[in-house]
Amino acid sequence: MTSQRQPDESADAVEDVAGGGEDDFTPAGVPDGFERLWNPHRIAYMQRGQDQVSSAADCPFCEGPRRADEQALIVHRGRSCYVLLNLYPYNPGHLLICPYRHVADLTDLTPEETVEFTRLAQVAMTALRATAEPGGFNLGINQGKVGGAGISAHLHQHVVPRWGGDGNFLPIIARTKNMAQTLGETHAMIRDAWEQAEETFAAGPADDDAPADDERPR
């Protein structure tokens, strides 16, 4: 669901709280000149927190691959891992790499899963560079609830493209991100670029980027 800026909803909320009685009572509050970006659809996630996933049966990372790519925001399906867009992106193109198996820790991956898990992050960076030309990336895995994982029960790696100036006052002051592109548009862009990104990554660096023989470590 796309959030919408609705500057007049505060007045509606006051009327709802006041109950529309005959008196002119208004709950305490000082108008501050700011608009509000209302995100009521997020309250279900916030209220349930880590408790929303107790097993593979109620895990969105396990359920996603059973759905259509567009519905689950999946941009690529591999043999043991897959790639999807983050429903709550830090930036447009914020991707998650997940194993199909319901495992919580990086050390739980098999050697084969580990190889694909890493490779998909590399291809994801290649696809994002080709489509969005970011200036850099944040890559990371939050392990465990105290480590900051939103869903700690199922391992996932973040791939976040970054651009100069993308960190402004909104996330710091208002805990709000301004998205310049819809999830559907981003999904189509990255999905369509994925096959070429795999070929580009598999080909390796261009010859002029490769170190000369006398520059190679011995």
Side-chain angles (χ1 to χ4, degrees), residues 70-150:
E70 290 76 12
Q71 183 182 12
L73 299 177
I74 294 174
V75 299
H76 176 76
R77 296 174 186 254
R79 294 176 61 87
S80 63
C81 303
Y82 69 101
V83 185
L84 73 159
L85 280 173
N86 190 344
L87 182 61
Y88 302 116
Y90 181 84
N91 269 342
H94 182 168
L95 295 172
L96 302 174
I97 318 296
C98 300
Y100 292 116
R101 288 197 307 126
H102 187 74
V103 296
D105 201 87
L106 183 63
T107 61
D108 294 329
L109 294 180
T110 67
E112 293 77 15
E113 288 171 330
T114 301
V115 169
E116 185 167 39
F117 190 74
T118 302
R119 179 181 174 84
L120 289 180
Q122 294 170 313
V123 177
M125 293 174 63
T126 304
L128 287 167
R129 283 189 172 122
T131 56
E133 299 182 348
F137 292 91
N138 291 128
L139 283 82
I141 304 172
N142 299 323
Q143 292 277 239
K145 181 177 180 179
V146 299

Side-chain angles (χ1 to χ4, degrees), residues 17-82:
V17 172
E22 294 181 358
D23 59 22
D24 57 357
F25 169 74
T26 299
V30 179
D32 55 14
F34 288 96
E35 295 181 352
R36 264 59 178 177
L37 188 65
W38 300 94
N39 293 283
H41 60 283
R42 297 200 65 178
I43 193 64
Y45 178 87
M46 293 164 62
Q47 288 177 332
R48 296 178 67 192
Q50 292 286 343
D51 295 335
Q52 68 181 298
V53 178
S54 59
S55 67
D58 54 11
C59 176
F61 292 134
C62 292
E63 178 62 26
R66 303 187 186 105
R67 306 295 182 100
D69 288 354
E70 290 76 12
Q71 183 182 12
L73 299 177
I74 294 174
V75 299
H76 176 76
R77 296 174 186 254
R79 294 176 61 87
S80 63
C81 303
Y82 69 101

Side-chain angles (χ1 to χ4, degrees), residues 165-180:
D166 64 10
N168 55 38
F169 70 92
L170 273 173
I172 300 170
I173 303 300
R175 297 187 62 81
T176 300
K177 286 296 295 184
N178 183 24
M179 294 292 110

Side-chain angles (χ1 to χ4, degrees), residues 4 8 105 137 143 152 158 161 166 186:
Q4 296 180 343
D8 296 326
D105 201 87
F137 292 91
Q143 292 277 239
S152 61
H158 296 262
D166 64 10
T186 307

